[in-house]
Amino acid sequence: MKYVLALLVGVLALLSSAQATGYRIETVATGLVHPWSLAFLPGGALLVTERPGRLRLIEPGPDGRLQLRAEPVAGLPPVLARGQAGLFDLLLDPDFSNNRRVLLSFAHGAPEANHLRVISARFDGRQLQQVQAIFTSQPAKSDTQHYGGRMAWLPDGTLLFGMGDGNLERTDAQRLHTHLGKLMRIRPDGSVPADNPFVKRPEARPEIYTLGHRNPQGMAVVDGLPFAHEHGARGGDELNRIQPGANYGWPVTTGGVDYTYARITPYRSVPGMQAPLVEWTPSIAPAGMAWYDGALFPGWRGSLLVSALVERSVRRVPMINGLPGTQELLFQELGERLRDVRAGPDGAIYLLTDSPEGRVLRVVPAAP
């Protein structure tokens, strides 16, 4: 009974918070199968990835309202869709208005020998053309978990993206001969920047930018500084500021325990390994992340927005001089697993619900 009363009080508090903040949540599109990522196209259309391996277009209809095109975008290469494997992130080229190129990350190969792959392709409005693989993780792995896959552009025009530890040999996150458990940095054509931190070490994969990650799931660049978050096990989810060459600890340090409740490590911190800016224990299962600096919600400007699967929320993390402030829970009244959160060019906040009947939602100020 105490739990039920506490839950009711919490729900009422959330509803009151929503009313005080003054937002409403609109449905943009329905019928998406585990939507994973979203990008805004010039002219008001949206591209959305579905984890089973489809790229979908949401475009203005005859009445000007957004609607989901029935047929998927053609030309996507084969995607391995099993377990956590599938089609992941979507990112527009910085010069998209001229070159029409998009980047996509996905699981590639067979269940017994698979990789994280990143491709670049030209989107002509109907299909993908001139598809080029610009990264394929090495070596192949034999499990369909912990892919990472999130991507972001750094200010110098290079691409930063993450890969999970594969959930088989977690200590590979500390080994430089493999891409597992790392963030990588490459140029848009797949070549390796000469100033990558491990590029001169013969035993290291030259694309590696940072190491010691369990399963990176969100990425945002704020005033030129990259931030990323990642899943822990049972607790130990982390938000980190990304610095080239840094070691973020997994599995030597973590605030969580294994799913069996077994202890992973005795260490919460070790000299020379980066401590997280924020740790979430119990786990909230952070999924996507966006930087909000829009005009529609002035009180939320200067915040990282972190979508969460287990907590079924968006965490608003205000950032002051690169440090996190007091967090606020948003949108728990939906009661849905939230895979991604994006700040739209219109100042609205867009959400993807993680479901076989997933939705694209738009958060706007409530009508006066």
Side-chain angles (χ1 to χ4, degrees):
M1 177 62 73
K2 289 183 179 179
Y3 174 79
V4 173
L5 289 173
L7 183 62
L8 288 173
V9 168
V11 170
L12 289 172
L14 287 165
L15 291 173
S16 298
S17 175
Q19 292 167 359
T21 305
Y23 64 77
R24 70 177 188 274
I25 302 176
E26 306 171 340
T27 298
V28 175
T30 61
L32 293 156
V33 182
H34 292 289
W36 214 91
S37 181
L38 176 150
F40 304 95
L41 299 177
L46 311 174
L47 278 173
V48 180
T49 59
E50 292 178 297
R51 196 177 68 209
R54 291 179 295 272
L55 180 60
R56 308 296 299 275
L57 182 66
I58 301 172
E59 58 190 341
D63 61 356
R65 299 181 64 182
L66 290 171
Q67 59 185 26
L68 179 66
R69 184 185 289 177
E71 67 277 6
V73 173
L76 186 70
V79 171
L80 172 63
R82 177 183 293 191
Q84 295 176 2
L87 179 59
F88 304 130
D89 209 3
L90 166 68
L91 196 62
L92 300 189
D93 188 284
D95 195 29
F96 177 84
S97 58
N98 292 316
N99 64 23
R100 306 294 296 180
R101 297 200 73 84
V102 300
L103 276 68
L104 294 140
S105 63
F106 57 91
H108 163 77
E112 64 276 9
N114 62 83
H115 313 259
L116 176 70
R117 173 163 282 187
V118 179
I119 64 168
S120 173
R122 187 177 184 277
F123 176 57
D124 68 1
R126 289 279 172 184
Q127 61 182 339
L128 298 179
Q129 300 177 329
Q130 302 170 15
V131 177
Q132 302 171 3
I134 61 172
F135 175 84
T136 303
S137 65
Q138 299 297 333
K141 62 188 188 69
S142 58
D143 191 66
T144 54
Q145 291 183 301
H146 294 194
Y147 284 90
R150 292 289 182 190
M151 304 182 289
W153 293 111
L154 295 176
D156 63 359
T158 58
L159 178 70
L160 183 69
F161 60 97
M163 183 172 186
D165 67 357
N167 201 34
L168 279 179
E169 181 51 76
R170 58 179 54 153
T171 53
D172 276 344
Q174 291 292 323
R175 299 185 176 117
L176 294 175
H177 75 280
T178 171
H179 291 123
L180 291 171
K182 313 297 191 305
L183 298 189
M184 269 67 70
R185 174 177 174 249
I186 60 175
R187 296 191 184 95
D189 63 0
S191 60
V192 176
D195 59 348
N196 267 6
F198 303 104
V199 74
K200 294 182 179 179
R201 292 179 59 166
E203 79 281 12
R205 300 282 176 182
E207 300 89 353
I208 295 174
Y209 196 64
T210 61
L211 67 155
H213 301 280
R214 183 176 182 270
N215 193 15
Q217 289 287 297
M219 206 170 283
V221 177
V222 180
D223 296 329
L225 298 175
F227 293 82
H229 65 57
E230 60 188 79
H231 283 188
R234 193 179 291 276
D237 300 340
E238 295 182 1
L239 171 66
N240 291 297
R241 184 169 60 198
I242 301 304
Q243 303 175 60
N247 186 335
Y248 290 86
W250 177 258
V252 179
T253 65
T254 181
V257 296
D258 223 332
Y259 293 113
T260 62
Y261 292 96
R263 198 175 189 182
I264 296 168
T265 172
Y267 303 111
R268 297 289 297 268
S269 64
V270 168
M273 293 185 177
Q274 296 295 313
L277 287 177
V278 175
E279 180 193 300
W280 293 291
T281 298
S283 174
I284 67 170
M289 183 162 66
W291 174 247
Y292 188 78
D293 205 28
L296 293 187
F297 296 102
W300 295 346
R301 296 188 69 183
S303 298
L304 288 168
L305 302 177
V306 176
S307 56
L309 299 170
V310 169
E311 192 175 63
R312 299 175 183 244
S313 70
V314 166
R315 288 255 176 167
R316 185 176 73 84
V317 185
M319 300 295 291
I320 303 171
N321 297 324
L323 297 175
T326 303
Q327 299 173 48
E328 179 183 10
L329 268 67
L330 301 172
F331 316 134
Q332 275 193 312
E333 67 270 22
L334 288 167
E336 297 192 62
R337 290 164 55 91
L338 299 179
R339 171 61 68 180
D340 202 8
V341 56
R342 300 282 168 155
D346 56 357
I349 296 167
Y350 290 75
L351 307 173
L352 297 183
T353 67
D354 180 50
S355 164
E357 292 291 330
R359 299 187 290 162
V360 179
L361 306 175
R362 181 174 180 257
V363 183
V364 295

